[in-house]
Amino acid sequence: MAGNTRGTSPAPPKASDDPLATLASLPGVADSVAAVRKGVDRVYGHRVMRRRSNEVTSEAALRGARGSAALSGADWALEEVRRRTDFGVEGEPRTVGAALRLTAEAGQLLSVWRQSPLRVLARLHLVAASGRSPGEAEGRRGPDETADDTVGRPRLAAEPVDEPLIELPLPDADEVAGRLDGLSRLLLTGTEAPALVTAAVVHGELLALRPFATCNGLVARAAERIVLIGSGLDPKSICPAEVGHAELGRAAYVAALEGYVSGTPEGVAAWIAHCGRAVELGVRESTAVCEALQRGAA
C-alpha cells in the first residue's frame, strides 16, 4: 500500500513500475510532502500526546466528521455535532450521521484494506448510505423496510448518482469498474510514494469516478483517512484532513479536483498540494486541541 513515512516498510517496486512514485516527482509535490511530514511529527511530539492521545484522537474524529459533512452540504457547528444524538434518515441529519459512522468505522478496516481495498469501499458505502448502525446495515431490517440494492456496490449502467456538489462529467459504469480494479491492483502491489500522494490519488479517483449512487464524497474522504492511518504517517488518526478540506472551502475543493480530473501534471500536482494543505490544517486543529488539553480548557 502507501509508503510508510514513519517506519520501515517492505521493499517497494521499482519506480518504473510505480505510477504513484512518478507523481511524487511532480513539481511542488516534494515540498508538500515535506511540510506535511514536519507538521505531523510536530503534533505527535506534543507533550499531551504522551498521556492523552486517546482524547486527541476522539476529538480529531469528531472534527473530521464535521468537516466531511460540511463538504457534503451539512455545515453544522461543531458543538451541534457534539450535542446531537439523533440523526434522521433524510437531509442534513443523515449526512452528519453518515460522516460520524464513517469516521468511527475507518480505523477498524485497516487490515481488510491491505487485502482488498474494494471490499473496504463497499463497506464504507454500506455504513454511510444505510442510515442505520453497522449491524442493522448488514440486513436486520424491519418488516416494512425495503432493501436498497444500490447500497454497498458500485453503480450499474444507467443508474443515477446523487452527488450535487460535484458536477464534473460522470464516467460510465464500465469505466468505473475498470478504474476501480486498476486502483485496487495499484494499492495491493505497493508503492514507494509518500502517503500523502497515495491518499490524494485514492481521494481524487473516488471523487472523479463517483462509483456509488450516493455518499461518494463522504466515502472518498474516509478512504483518504484510511490511507493516512494505514501508511504509518498518522497511525493514531489525529490529523483530520477533512477539517482542512472544509476550511479551504468547497470552491477550492472542486477547483483542485478539476485539476486532478484534467490529468495534466500541473493539475494533479495542484490536487496533491491541496490535499497536503488540508492535512496541515488538520494538524493545526489537533495542535490547538493539545494546547487546550494542556491548559485544562478541554
Side-chain angles (χ1 to χ4, degrees):
M1 209 184 74
N4 190 330
T5 59
R6 297 177 67 86
T8 301
S9 58
K14 294 180 181 179
S16 59
D17 300 323
D18 189 349
L20 294 178
T22 301
L23 297 183
S25 67
L26 291 174
V29 171
D31 291 339
S32 295
V33 169
V36 165
R37 185 180 296 118
K38 181 178 179 180
V40 171
D41 287 345
R42 185 184 303 117
V43 71
Y44 269 84
H46 197 287
R47 64 173 61 187
V48 165
M49 289 294 297
R50 289 197 291 270
R51 290 189 294 180
R52 304 182 70 178
S53 64
N54 288 342
E55 294 173 69
V56 181
T57 295
S58 296
E59 189 65 19
L62 183 71
R63 295 178 185 221
R66 192 218 73 83
S68 190
L71 285 169
S72 287
D75 193 0
W76 289 15
L78 178 63
E79 292 310 313
E80 178 70 4
V81 178
R82 194 191 306 278
R83 179 186 67 82
R84 288 282 287 267
T85 57
D86 55 318
F87 299 100
V89 296
E90 294 182 352
E92 292 188 5
R94 176 173 181 157
T95 299
V96 175
L100 287 166
R101 291 194 301 275
L102 283 174
T103 301
E105 189 80 0
Q108 309 303 314
L109 296 172
L110 296 177
S111 61
V112 183
W113 178 266
R114 295 185 182 103
Q115 299 171 4
S116 178
L118 297 185
R119 281 181 57 199
V120 171
L121 294 178
R123 173 65 182 175
L124 291 173
H125 187 250
L126 183 69
V127 169
S130 67
R132 293 178 287 275
S133 69
E136 293 171 321
E138 288 172 354
R140 297 200 293 273
R141 299 186 303 276
D144 298 325
E145 291 186 84
T146 301
D148 181 352
D149 65 2
T150 68
V151 173
R153 64 155 175 83
R155 55 187 167 84
L156 303 178
E159 287 184 340
V161 172
D162 180 16
E163 199 72 40
L165 298 179
I166 306 294
E167 298 178 352
L168 296 169
L170 193 67
D172 64 31
D174 287 342
E175 181 179 351
V176 168
R179 286 173 63 176
L180 281 178
D181 182 65
L183 179 64
S184 177
R185 285 188 282 106
L186 193 64
L187 294 170
L188 291 173
T189 297
T191 178
E192 62 182 0
L196 172 64
V197 173
T198 305
V201 168
V202 168
H203 186 170
E205 275 294 288
L206 293 175
L207 283 179
L209 295 176
R210 280 146 292 162
F212 302 108
T214 58
C215 302
N216 289 287
L218 293 171
V219 169
R221 291 184 288 275
E224 179 185 51
R225 173 183 285 267
I226 288 173
V227 174
L228 293 173
I229 299 170
S231 67
L233 176 64
D234 182 20
K236 294 182 181 295
S237 192
I238 62 168
C239 306
E242 305 96 326
V243 168
H245 286 303
E247 185 171 338
L248 291 167
R250 288 186 221 160
Y253 187 63
V254 172
L257 176 63
E258 289 175 350
Y260 177 82
V261 171
S262 75
T264 65
E266 296 81 8
V268 174
W271 169 252
I272 295 170
H274 184 88
C275 291
R277 182 60 180 149
V279 176
E280 288 184 75
L281 291 170
V283 167
R284 187 179 72 179
E285 187 86 356
S286 287
T287 300
V289 170
C290 287
E291 293 295 330
L293 288 170
Q294 185 169 291
R295 297 192 305 268

